[in-house]
Amino acid sequence: QVQLVESGGGSVQTGGSLTLSCTGSGYTNNGRCMGWFRHASGQREWVGGISPDGSVNVLGLVRGRFTISTDNDKNILYLQMNNLKPEDTDTYYCVADKARFGACATESRVWGQGTRVTVSS
């Protein structure tokens, strides 16, 4: 059973930075099919994640500001957020899917509890 625990959220002013961490257990995919979502203004939005082949993709709106990385030895997924804007305010959720047949099986998706990010100006 996959378990995900996020941390690193907090309050920051416009232009500041935060690093979110997601510590996983019960999986062996080394970050593959793991990623981050947010739910601003009632809309669930994919932020970024790692493909089955290990490539990293992020939402165009945050490209150049947000970076995803992993510590595979410790099963940690990171979301480094720079130059934060008020519209980035949200609860950020770590997710993990099973990888099968070269794709991420979203029906297997497990969600963390979320960590709150607040950006003020």
Side-chain angles (χ1 to χ4, degrees), residues 2 7 19 22 35 38 51 54 56-57 60 69-70 90 102-103 108 110:
V2 174
S7 63
T19 299
C22 172
R38 63 187 184 186
S51 299
V56 177
N57 296 283
S69 62
T70 61
D90 210 335
S108 70
V110 174

Short mmCIF file of all heavy atoms in Angstrom, two decimals, residues 2 7 19 22 35 38 51 54 56-57 60 69-70 90 102-103 108 110:
data_model
loop_
_atom_site.label_atom_id
_atom_site.label_comp_id
_atom_site.label_asym_id
_atom_site.label_seq_id
_atom_site.Cartn_x
_atom_site.Cartn_y
_atom_site.Cartn_z
N VAL A 2 0.67 2.12 -0.98
CA VAL A 2 1.43 3.35 -1.09
C VAL A 2 0.91 4.35 -0.07
O VAL A 2 -0.30 4.55 0.07
CB VAL A 2 1.35 3.93 -2.50
CG1 VAL A 2 2.02 5.29 -2.57
CG2 VAL A 2 1.98 2.97 -3.50
N SER A 7 5.19 17.76 2.97
CA SER A 7 5.61 18.76 3.92
C SER A 7 6.26 19.91 3.17
O SER A 7 6.53 19.81 1.98
CB SER A 7 6.58 18.18 4.96
OG SER A 7 7.77 17.74 4.34
N THR A 19 10.12 24.90 -0.95
CA THR A 19 10.37 23.56 -1.46
C THR A 19 9.44 22.59 -0.74
O THR A 19 9.48 22.48 0.49
CB THR A 19 11.83 23.14 -1.24
OG1 THR A 19 12.70 24.03 -1.94
CG2 THR A 19 12.05 21.73 -1.78
N CYS A 22 7.65 15.25 -0.69
CA CYS A 22 6.71 14.15 -0.60
C CYS A 22 7.50 12.90 -0.32
O CYS A 22 8.30 12.45 -1.16
CB CYS A 22 5.91 14.01 -1.90
SG CYS A 22 4.88 12.54 -2.00
N GLY A 35 3.87 12.79 -8.99
CA GLY A 35 3.79 14.18 -9.36
C GLY A 35 3.03 15.00 -8.33
O GLY A 35 2.80 14.56 -7.20
N ARG A 38 -2.50 20.74 -7.70
CA ARG A 38 -3.04 21.77 -6.83
C ARG A 38 -4.50 21.98 -7.19
O ARG A 38 -4.97 21.50 -8.22
CB ARG A 38 -2.25 23.07 -6.93
CG ARG A 38 -2.27 23.74 -8.31
CD ARG A 38 -1.32 24.92 -8.33
NE ARG A 38 -1.38 25.65 -9.59
CZ ARG A 38 -0.58 26.65 -9.92
NH1 ARG A 38 0.36 27.06 -9.06
NH2 ARG A 38 -0.70 27.25 -11.10
N SER A 51 7.39 11.04 -15.77
CA SER A 51 6.84 10.04 -16.67
C SER A 51 7.44 8.67 -16.39
O SER A 51 8.45 8.55 -15.69
CB SER A 51 7.11 10.43 -18.12
OG SER A 51 6.50 11.67 -18.44
N GLY A 54 11.08 8.41 -16.84
CA GLY A 54 11.91 9.25 -16.00
C GLY A 54 11.97 10.71 -16.40
O GLY A 54 12.59 11.50 -15.68
N VAL A 56 10.80 14.58 -16.86
CA VAL A 56 10.09 15.48 -15.98
C VAL A 56 9.33 16.51 -16.81
O VAL A 56 9.88 17.09 -17.75
CB VAL A 56 11.04 16.19 -15.01
CG1 VAL A 56 10.29 17.19 -14.15
CG2 VAL A 56 11.77 15.17 -14.15
N ASN A 57 8.08 16.72 -16.47
CA ASN A 57 7.25 17.72 -17.14
C ASN A 57 6.53 18.56 -16.10
O ASN A 57 6.13 18.05 -15.05
CB ASN A 57 6.23 17.04 -18.05
CG ASN A 57 6.87 16.28 -19.19
OD1 ASN A 57 7.31 16.87 -20.17
ND2 ASN A 57 6.92 14.96 -19.05
N GLY A 60 2.80 24.48 -18.08
CA GLY A 60 3.37 25.63 -18.75
C GLY A 60 3.31 26.90 -17.93
O GLY A 60 4.24 27.73 -18.00
N SER A 69 12.18 17.20 -8.69
CA SER A 69 13.33 16.33 -8.57
C SER A 69 13.03 15.24 -7.57
O SER A 69 12.01 15.26 -6.88
CB SER A 69 14.58 17.12 -8.17
OG SER A 69 14.42 17.72 -6.90
N THR A 70 13.94 14.27 -7.49
CA THR A 70 13.74 13.14 -6.59
C THR A 70 15.02 12.80 -5.85
O THR A 70 16.12 13.10 -6.30
CB THR A 70 13.28 11.88 -7.33
OG1 THR A 70 14.27 11.50 -8.29
CG2 THR A 70 11.96 12.11 -8.04
N ASP A 90 -2.48 27.71 -2.89
CA ASP A 90 -3.28 26.50 -3.04
C ASP A 90 -2.82 25.48 -2.02
O ASP A 90 -1.82 25.68 -1.32
CB ASP A 90 -3.13 25.92 -4.45
CG ASP A 90 -4.36 25.19 -4.94
OD1 ASP A 90 -5.15 24.70 -4.10
OD2 ASP A 90 -4.54 25.09 -6.18
N GLY A 102 4.04 0.96 -19.98
CA GLY A 102 4.63 2.20 -20.44
C GLY A 102 3.82 3.43 -20.15
O GLY A 102 4.12 4.50 -20.69
N ALA A 103 2.82 3.33 -19.31
CA ALA A 103 1.97 4.46 -18.97
C ALA A 103 1.70 4.46 -17.48
O ALA A 103 1.99 3.48 -16.78
CB ALA A 103 0.67 4.41 -19.75
N SER A 108 -5.08 3.77 -10.32
CA SER A 108 -4.40 3.35 -9.11
C SER A 108 -3.92 4.51 -8.25
O SER A 108 -3.25 4.29 -7.24
CB SER A 108 -3.20 2.46 -9.47
OG SER A 108 -2.17 3.22 -10.07
N VAL A 110 -2.85 7.30 -5.82
CA VAL A 110 -2.89 7.53 -4.39
C VAL A 110 -2.52 8.99 -4.14
O VAL A 110 -1.58 9.51 -4.75
CB VAL A 110 -1.92 6.59 -3.64
CG1 VAL A 110 -1.85 6.94 -2.16
CG2 VAL A 110 -2.35 5.15 -3.83
#
